[in-house]
Amino acid sequence: MQLPGMPLHDPFVVADEETRTYHLYTSNEPSVSGVEGVGTMVYRSRDLREWTRPVVVFLAADQPGIWAGDGGWAPEVHKWRGRYYLFTTLHAEDRPLPVPPAGRWGTPFQVPNHMRGTITAVSDSLLGPFTAVDPARPTPPEHLMTLDGTLYVDRAGQPWMVYAHEWLQTVDGTMEAIRLTPDLTGTTGAPVLLFKASDAPWLTEQIPAGVPHQLAPYITDGPQLYDTPDGSLLMLWSTYEKNVADRDGSISGGYVQTYAVAKSGDIRGPWEQRRPLVRDDSGHGMMFRTFDGDLMLILHRPFENARGKLYEMRLDGHELRVLRRRDDLDGGG
């Protein structure tokens, strides 16, 4: 298989040095994996061009007492203390959360909310099967509607989960972090606010003066953390760039891949927003090193019926640059 024929959303690559094999995790797609159910599947490749048919490594229905059975979004796999930990986002529409009062932020939004959050599962193998460490609840606080949790281990060795707090609760979506216990099975302390989506000053550049920006939500999506050699910390993240689409002043937007920089090297920031790396309805990217040492960005495009797209990147200090699109690997389009 090659990337143009591989359905995938929110791609995450583990370059396994031991087997010299790239593992590309995404939400289970039964039409490709042949396995029904909400979960995670993985494609494998030795050259980023030819990929095996995917195998399923996690199914929500196989977890006794699991709190939710929908979603299966944004799976990531991280090695920690000799084992592999899967993070993936589930949701349960039959478990409602309180709805914020209409007009609280000066907006017309009053959207029904329900439990949504990232779970943690563990395996001794990159190929699973992964078992939920606590099937009764998500890892972030369950009263928060969150998604896209990722692992970050700071320079003191403290593991954190960084996640997006849904605009459905906040309208101005946020990135937050919470400390994890050493075995990644629980959390300690309160969540830490890292930044708000509206902190990106370019988000509303295409909206004329006088048009209320609050008519469209500010979205945070797909965090991934990356330490730089100069001691800074980068966060890849995605959002929807707002623009005026119609003569009546209604606001729409396009999905974009962007990033932020914490020059302090501390997850708590302060965070400085950078301009988008890739537009064209692209996003939820992550970076990895090839076995030849190249820095690569993988993301999905378009948002619907998504496929993986690859970009060769350069890191100048703490500034990211796209060197070239690798359409020789992802088939163009």
Side-chain angles (χ1 to χ4, degrees), residues 139 154 158-161 177-181 186-192 268:
T139 303
D154 67 23
Q158 170 65 54
W160 298 75
M161 179 179 282
I178 192 165
R179 292 174 180 85
L180 297 175
T181 56
T187 61
T188 61
V192 177
R268 289 157 291 200

Side-chain angles (χ1 to χ4, degrees), residues 28-273:
N28 181 43
E29 175 53 59
S31 65
V32 184
S33 69
V35 178
E36 294 293 330
V38 168
T40 301
M41 65 184 191
V42 61
Y43 299 96
R44 285 167 290 164
S45 174
R46 292 186 179 274
D47 59 8
L48 298 176
R49 181 176 285 105
E50 299 291 336
W51 298 83
T52 64
R53 295 195 68 82
V55 297
V56 173
V57 299
F58 172 82
L59 283 175
D62 289 347
Q63 313 301 311
I66 193 73
W67 63 273
D70 297 316
W73 302 336
E76 302 188 1
V77 172
H78 301 270
K79 190 172 185 178
W80 174 252
R81 295 187 173 179
R83 306 189 79 190
Y84 297 98
Y85 288 82
L86 168 73
F87 291 2
T88 188
T89 300
L90 300 180
H91 63 93
E93 294 186 11
D94 61 347
R95 302 184 69 173
L97 295 174
V99 178
R104 181 176 175 186
W105 295 275
T107 75
F109 291 103
Q110 191 173 23
V111 182
N113 292 345
H114 53 265
M115 281 187 64
R116 175 177 293 164
T118 299
I119 67 162
T120 306
V122 65
S123 176
D124 292 320
S125 168
L126 284 166
L127 299 180
F130 287 88
T131 302
V133 299
D134 185 355
R137 60 186 57 84
T139 303
E142 58 192 80
H143 68 283
L144 304 180
M145 197 175 186
T146 64
L147 76 166
D148 297 351
T150 189
L151 177 67
Y152 175 67
V153 181
D154 67 23
R155 287 164 181 149
Q158 170 65 54
W160 298 75
M161 179 179 282
V162 179
Y163 57 84
H165 191 169
E166 280 276 38
W167 68 272
L168 293 167
Q169 277 190 327
T170 64
V171 175
D172 194 354
T174 61
M175 286 298 183
E176 300 175 7
I178 192 165
R179 292 174 180 85
L180 297 175
T181 56
D183 60 2
L184 307 189
T185 61
T187 61
T188 61
V192 177
L193 172 65
L194 306 183
F195 59 82
K196 307 183 301 298
S198 64
D199 290 342
W202 47 266
L203 262 179
T204 56
E205 286 177 344
Q206 298 183 56
I207 300 178
V211 177
H213 299 176
Q214 296 92 337
L215 290 178
Y218 292 84
I219 292 172
T220 48
D221 189 66
Q224 190 230 359
L225 285 297
Y226 191 90
D227 285 308
T228 66
D230 75 349
S232 300
L233 180 61
L234 304 185
M235 185 193 299
L236 293 173
W237 67 288
S238 290
T239 188
Y240 283 83
E241 188 172 25
K242 299 180 181 184
N243 55 74
V244 175
D246 301 313
R247 292 181 181 177
D248 65 2
S250 64
I251 297 174
S252 66
Y255 196 47
V256 297
Q257 178 66 62
T258 188
Y259 75 110
V261 179
K263 294 179 183 177
S264 66
D266 191 312
I267 194 171
R268 289 157 291 200
W271 289 91
E272 301 174 4
Q273 301 300 323

